[in-house]
Amino acid sequence: MCCFLRSHVRLRAVRNGSSLIGRQDEIGRLEGLTRSAAEGRGGVLVLRGEAGIGKSVLLEQVGRAPGFLVLRASGSEFESELPFAALHQLCVPVLGRVDEMPEPLRVAFGQATGAPEMFRIGLAVLELVSGAARDRPVLCVIDDAHWLDDSSTKALMFLARRIASEPVAMIFAARQGLDELPGMELMGLTDDEARGLLRSTLDPRVRDRILAEARGNPLALLELPRTDVFALPQTSSVSNRVERGFQARLAALPAKAQLLLTLASAEPTGDPALLWAAADELRIDVDVSSAAEVSGLIEFGTRVRFCHPLARSAVYRAADSAKLHTVHRALAEVTDPVTDADRRAWHRAHAGTGPNEAVAAELEASASRAKARCGVAAAAAFLERAAALSLDPAKRTGRTLAAVRATLEAGAVEAASDLLNTLDTGGLDDEALARVDLLRGQIAFGRHGDGDGPRFMLDAGQRLAALDSARSRDCYLDALEMALAVGRASGVMDRVIRAAGSAPQAAAPPDILDALLTLTTDGHQAAAPLLRSVVSDVGVFAARPALATMVAAELWDIDAHNVITEWIMKTGRGSGSPIMLRLGLAQVASGAVHTGDFATAMAAIAEEEAIADAVGAPPMMYPRLHLAAIRGRRQEARELFAAAAAAADARGAGQLIANIHWARSVLGNGLADYPAALASAQHAAAGGDLFLAGIALPELIEAAVRCGRSTEAEAALTALTERTRPSGTVWAAGVTACARALVNGDEPAYLEAIDIFEGTRLAPYLARTELLYGEWLRRQNRKLDARRRLRSAHYRLSELGMEAFARRAADELRATGAQAVSRSTRIHDELTMQEMHIARLVATGATTKEVADRLFLSPRTIDAHLRNIFRKLGITSRRQLREVPDLKPQEMPSC
């Protein structure tokens, strides 16, 4: 019986009338998904379950949805090393001519050269699928998703997260994985359902034994009757039992038919032309296919298809190494070395047992191509195999280290560690050992809670000190950055600083390392000139922009911070680097929070989160923390703090914990919960983290004064003054004057701080200073003066959207016998962060397509957001949107 007929019989066997036995609920949910997609509300679902549980049959059922364009793909156990293999399967029906294909997809599919970022490839897929959905709804059916190649998985995950406003449904079938997506677990059939599936002609004893062995697995119920069910009881899994049944059928075939099936199992594309060309190499006649088809294991048609993925894997695993080498060698011979060089190299790599430098070089070239196409996981696999086939020890070491690096880039930290541990480091020179230490440091840093990363970086720096002083200093700086992320409170930073004192001298001092060493050992007064040179010279800060932004903040220099941020954004936009763009956007948001431009902060946060989602990374949380704290929405902020704390604990990110403490102190002061604010500010300041320890001191001083803890307030003022006096910026001068006024009850200092801040765009600091001055005046029984200052503070705080501080000002006003005037709602109170970003872009004249490209969404999704924005704002056109004052982007604040 051919495989097509077998599949038809099997499908009928699990049906009862028009529905599948025991799958009514699952079918209902799938039909609901397609129905919603047909109405323009896209969705995704992952069917999970063991092999043979019925996932593929459900996919076949839903794949008949009337009126849909159905795009299909399937992961292959033996093709998971080839980048974008499954994605290409899915897209083929809608690709059109090569010259019309989006450039990122041409590169991804090996039809053009280039190096697009993964999110550009994902966006191209979204454009392709949403374009196809303009004519009729699209259903994407992806079977065996647990075997998808890494690059296809990332692109399809990108697509799955962006189809909510598209007439597109995506259904995956997988044994495990894709946990981020909505899923449904398929369970075994009940005994009654299983009995209904078995043939009634079976002997009752046989039927009972099959029911016991199959445990409700539909494929097992259909396949086990072909095996010896009265053999000794089996302890292996159902899928292993079924696989052995497939292998028994294989063993009953003639030798040539077995070889043909093995050849087909090693050729994952199912291309009959390629298969028969390879069969000709092995002198297998076409008529052998009849004998192979009779087994029911395979079907030869327009595609070569096994009746089940377990059948393919069973055939491949049944072959000995000599037979596998033979079939891979034949497939390599007939695979085009120009148009399909990577697959040819892959087959050649599996065609022999000994080292082969020519094949290793081919694999290394394939790795380079894969990496250029965003296939870092594929590059790692190619490089690992190349290392195994390398004759020369130095090349083997180099390829192994490159494979470890690629494996790390793919996010497989433990796999990278295991691969690195296979390397014999006994005969390596210092340069190679330094590379090993660097990789060990990156692996440790990638492990949550492993604080050994900086130590390995220091080891690398020490090894390179005599070989390459510039690289050595880079290693010390890497160690410093890792230590900053871990958090100074852990003690790691101090150990790194001590060790970095022995770093080679900079070629053209000062650099960031010199500045930070001086800051730690000699204090702010000595370090200030070096710190200023770092943030004022693009040649210096361009090498370490993330560190430079923290140095600018440590100096209380908002102007320098803005210059660096502008450079990061320009560089990120120009290069398309997601890392640089995300850093720049996070800094835009943080700077905007401290200048009271919450609309800009929300827009920047939304774009950073969009890029993070596009590349499959967690968003940067500290800008959200800063914004939530200063806006003062108690419930929203506390939920965010809890989520950030959980993330920080999971990642071992001490710096994020310090950000949480600072944010909690700001929220506590806004809510007039001074004991809580004091405790949080003390934690933030005690860690000694760059910038965060300093900016926590004003919060500590305010909370300590309100709690009557004068000694602690005075000590904090001394520490703050030591930091701010050398910086010489107006931000530092205003903050210090306000803190001095608080601690000493010094009215001229209040007026000095207000005068300083009025000449800047540090609006939150001006508003808070007026609030503190008004509170002080009220306590001096100067009610009229207090009312004037408190009204001004309330107006400023309300206009900014600093809700907790505004309520505090309103309470103080009532205590003077006056009432606060309610304010009109601000636009950023009405819109989500993403809606704010879209509204601002459209208000500046951006088209729907331009906004969609910026946020990695489809134009249809942007239009859906615009409808929500118009509804919330009570407007009906883009022209009206341009007239909303809050949507006009502000210039970078200057102080």
Side-chain angles (χ1 to χ4, degrees):
M1 181 189 302
C2 76
C3 186
F4 174 76
L5 290 176
R6 251 191 77 73
S7 297
H8 182 64
V9 169
R10 185 175 71 195
L11 192 61
R12 287 185 59 196
V14 294
R15 283 208 174 111
N16 181 8
S18 61
S19 62
L20 300 179
I21 293 176
R23 297 294 183 226
Q24 288 75 25
D25 291 344
E26 290 85 349
I27 290 172
R29 186 165 175 184
L30 291 171
E31 288 177 345
L33 184 71
T34 55
R35 188 164 51 249
S36 293
E39 296 168 354
R41 302 188 308 277
V44 60
L45 187 66
V46 182
L47 302 177
R48 296 190 185 91
E50 65 178 354
I53 202 66
K55 303 183 297 295
S56 297
V57 175
L58 280 169
L59 289 185
E60 185 172 349
Q61 171 100 336
V62 74
R64 296 176 180 150
F68 275 80
L69 169 63
V70 181
L71 305 179
R72 299 179 185 274
S74 180
S76 169
E77 182 180 8
F78 312 114
E79 201 175 28
S80 58
E81 296 174 0
L82 298 177
F84 299 108
L87 184 68
H88 187 260
Q89 286 181 50
L90 188 83
C91 294
V92 161
V94 291
L95 282 178
R97 297 204 318 266
V98 170
D99 60 347
E100 296 175 343
M101 197 184 307
E103 184 66 17
L105 287 186
R106 293 179 63 208
V107 174
F109 298 152
Q111 295 167 339
T113 58
E117 295 288 351
M118 175 59 76
F119 58 81
R120 298 294 175 194
I121 294 171
L123 186 59
V125 176
L126 176 62
E127 290 175 354
L128 194 70
V129 173
S130 61
R134 283 196 290 267
D135 299 325
R136 52 178 167 154
V138 172
L139 174 61
C140 300
V141 176
I142 302 99
D143 204 356
D144 292 319
H146 50 279
W147 282 333
L148 289 175
D149 61 275
D150 180 72
S151 302
S152 292
T153 299
K154 289 176 179 175
L156 291 171
M157 289 288 287
F158 179 99
L159 180 64
R161 291 192 292 262
R162 280 160 179 77
I163 57 172
S165 299
E166 304 290 331
V168 177
M170 296 182 72
I171 304 172
F172 296 83
R175 295 181 195 171
Q176 68 281 322
L178 303 179
D179 296 331
E180 310 94 305
L181 300 179
M184 178 169 58
E185 191 77 22
L186 298 189
M187 309 305 293
L189 302 179
T190 66
D191 280 351
D192 288 343
E193 291 164 347
R195 289 178 188 277
L197 183 57
L198 286 174
R199 295 193 303 271
S200 60
T201 56
L202 286 174
D203 182 280
R205 294 173 300 165
V206 173
R207 186 169 59 247
D208 290 344
R209 179 62 184 275
I210 291 172
L211 289 171
E213 293 286 346
R215 293 174 226 146
N217 184 293
L219 181 62
L221 289 165
L222 293 165
E223 293 296 335
L224 288 181
R226 304 174 65 98
T227 66
D228 181 5
V229 295
F230 285 104
L232 290 173
Q234 299 290 327
T235 58
S236 58
S237 68
V238 172
S239 60
N240 287 342
R241 294 280 314 278
V242 172
E243 193 169 310
R244 284 199 298 273
F246 287 141
Q247 289 173 344
R249 270 191 264 168
L250 173 72
L253 294 175
K256 285 288 187 180
Q258 290 186 39
L259 184 59
L260 179 61
L261 278 165
T262 304
L263 182 68
S265 73
E267 200 297 290
T269 66
D271 183 350
L274 193 63
L275 177 71
W276 291 116
D280 188 57
E281 287 281 324
L282 298 176
R283 303 183 186 280
I284 301 174
D285 296 331
V286 174
D287 57 10
V288 173
S289 64
S290 298
E293 280 192 317
V294 166
S295 69
L297 294 171
I298 196 167
E299 172 195 351
F300 297 99
T302 55
R303 307 299 294 173
V304 179
R305 297 179 59 191
F306 280 84
C307 62
H308 193 277
L310 280 178
R312 177 192 287 276
S313 60
V315 170
Y316 192 86
R317 296 184 211 286
D320 59 27
S321 58
K323 184 180 286 187
L324 292 176
H325 294 158
T326 297
V327 297
H328 280 295
R329 195 176 303 118
L331 287 164
E333 286 297 321
V334 300
T335 301
D336 193 312
V338 176
T339 62
D340 211 355
D342 296 340
R343 188 170 275 109
R344 181 175 183 271
W346 182 83
H347 282 304
R348 289 194 71 193
H350 290 79
T353 56
N356 186 317
E357 182 56 37
V359 176
E362 280 189 42
L363 290 166
E364 194 168 27
S366 291
S368 296
R369 287 190 294 270
K371 195 165 185 180
R373 294 155 56 195
C374 297
V376 288
F382 283 134
L383 286 165
E384 183 175 354
R385 186 65 176 164
L389 296 178
S390 299
L391 284 164
D392 181 80
K395 288 183 177 180
R396 186 185 310 117
T397 296
R399 286 163 178 161
T400 300
L401 293 176
V404 173
R405 187 163 52 251
T407 305
L408 263 177
E409 289 175 14
V413 175
E414 294 308 321
S417 177
D418 292 343
L419 182 56
L420 187 59
N421 288 336
T422 66
L423 192 66
D424 182 5
T425 60
L428 300 184
D429 59 19
D430 278 343
E431 198 278 336
L433 287 172
R435 291 176 65 191
V436 172
D437 285 332
L438 284 170
L439 289 169
R440 283 178 174 156
Q442 291 164 4
I443 288 168
F445 190 61
R447 285 177 174 144
H448 303 324
D450 188 337
D452 284 338
R455 176 173 64 83
F456 286 120
M457 293 299 178
L458 293 174
D459 290 344
Q462 290 163 358
R463 292 186 193 279
L464 290 170
L467 300 173
D468 188 332
S469 60
R471 285 180 63 200
S472 174
R473 288 181 71 82
D474 276 342
C475 292
Y476 283 103
L477 277 168
D478 286 339
L480 270 174
E481 286 191 303
M482 284 185 179
L484 283 169
V486 172
R488 187 157 193 162
S490 65
V492 174
M493 182 72 169
D494 295 320
R495 292 196 296 272
V496 170
I497 290 290
R498 286 195 296 270
S502 62
Q505 291 297 308
D511 64 5
I512 295 181
L513 184 59
D514 288 325
L516 292 176
L517 286 173
T518 303
L519 176 64
T520 302
T521 56
D522 300 326
H524 286 76
Q525 187 67 45
L530 297 180
L531 294 172
R532 277 194 291 271
S533 69
V534 165
V535 299
S536 62
D537 186 345
V538 67
V540 177
F541 72 64
R544 300 277 174 166
L547 263 179
T549 59
M550 297 180 72
V551 169
E554 181 74 14
L555 282 171
W556 301 83
D557 193 336
I558 195 77
D559 289 334
H561 183 272
N562 289 339
V563 169
I564 298 168
T565 299
E566 285 179 332
W567 180 90
I568 295 171
M569 288 300 299
K570 183 178 179 180
T571 303
R573 296 273 187 229
S575 66
S577 165
I579 294 175
M580 192 68 80
L581 270 175
R582 293 179 62 206
L583 171 63
L585 289 163
Q587 294 304 314
V588 167
S590 291
V593 165
H594 290 286
T595 58
D597 185 2
F598 298 164
T600 292
M602 289 172 67
I605 289 169
E607 187 171 353
E608 190 280 323
E609 290 180 345
I611 297 173
D613 183 57
V615 299
M620 295 185 180
M621 299 194 76
Y622 62 88
R624 253 189 188 268
L625 291 169
H626 293 192
L627 181 60
I630 207 160
R631 289 181 79 184
R633 296 181 173 181
R634 183 199 305 258
Q635 189 58 35
E636 177 186 320
R638 288 180 174 172
E639 289 174 2
L640 181 60
F641 296 165
D649 288 341
R651 300 177 202 162
Q655 192 180 52
L656 181 55
I657 293 172
N659 273 280
I660 297 167
H661 286 315
W662 174 79
R664 281 175 171 158
S665 70
V666 174
L667 179 67
N669 278 330
L671 296 171
D673 185 357
Y674 300 115
L678 178 60
S680 294
Q682 287 171 328
H683 282 301
D689 292 280
L690 204 62
F691 169 54
L692 289 165
I695 203 170
L697 290 172
E699 305 302 333
L700 194 161
I701 291 165
E702 182 173 340
V705 169
R706 290 291 181 258
C707 290
R709 309 270 281 272
S710 57
T711 301
E712 291 168 59
E714 290 166 1
L717 176 60
T718 300
L720 178 65
T721 305
E722 288 173 354
R723 289 170 173 270
T724 55
R725 184 182 292 126
S727 74
T729 68
V730 292
W731 188 7
V735 164
T736 307
C738 181
R740 189 171 64 250
L742 257 172
V743 173
N744 299 328
D746 186 349
E747 184 172 10
Y750 278 122
L751 295 171
E752 178 189 352
I754 289 170
D755 184 58
I756 290 171
F757 286 134
E758 279 183 335
T760 73
R761 290 181 60 193
L762 293 162
Y765 292 87
L766 173 58
R768 288 185 64 180
T769 302
E770 280 208 303
L771 170 59
L772 291 168
Y773 183 33
E775 289 174 334
W776 182 83
L777 288 167
R778 187 180 72 79
R779 286 165 176 75
Q780 302 302 310
N781 290 319
R782 293 164 57 182
K783 288 187 178 183
L784 291 178
D785 291 336
R787 284 174 188 169
R788 182 169 64 87
R789 288 296 180 180
L790 290 170
R791 279 200 181 98
S792 176
H794 181 264
Y795 174 81
R796 294 181 191 276
L797 293 165
S798 299
E799 283 298 299
L800 288 170
M802 297 173 62
E803 297 177 14
F805 285 103
R807 285 194 298 272
R808 190 173 126 189
D811 291 342
E812 288 287 334
L813 262 176
R814 279 192 292 273
T816 68
Q819 291 296 317
V821 178
S822 61
R823 66 172 180 89
S824 59
T825 301
R826 294 290 299 270
I827 187 172
H828 52 66
D829 295 331
E830 298 296 314
L831 303 183
T832 67
M833 290 191 183
Q834 190 176 68
E835 288 169 347
M836 174 65 75
H837 192 26
I838 292 170
R840 285 166 67 88
L841 290 173
V842 172
T844 61
T847 65
T848 294
K849 177 67 166 59
E850 289 168 340
V851 178
D853 289 347
R854 183 83 162 257
L855 287 176
F856 315 108
L857 297 168
S858 71
R860 195 192 310 262
T861 301
I862 298 301
D863 286 338
H865 281 300
L866 273 175
R867 288 192 292 272
N868 283 336
I869 292 167
F870 289 169
R871 176 180 54 78
K872 288 181 178 181
L873 300 184
I875 60 177
T876 57
S877 71
R878 291 170 180 252
R879 181 186 57 78
Q880 290 174 292
L881 200 59
R882 297 188 189 107
E883 296 170 358
V884 178
D886 286 348
L887 294 181
K888 295 176 181 177
Q890 299 182 24
E891 297 176 0
M892 281 287 188
S894 176
C895 301

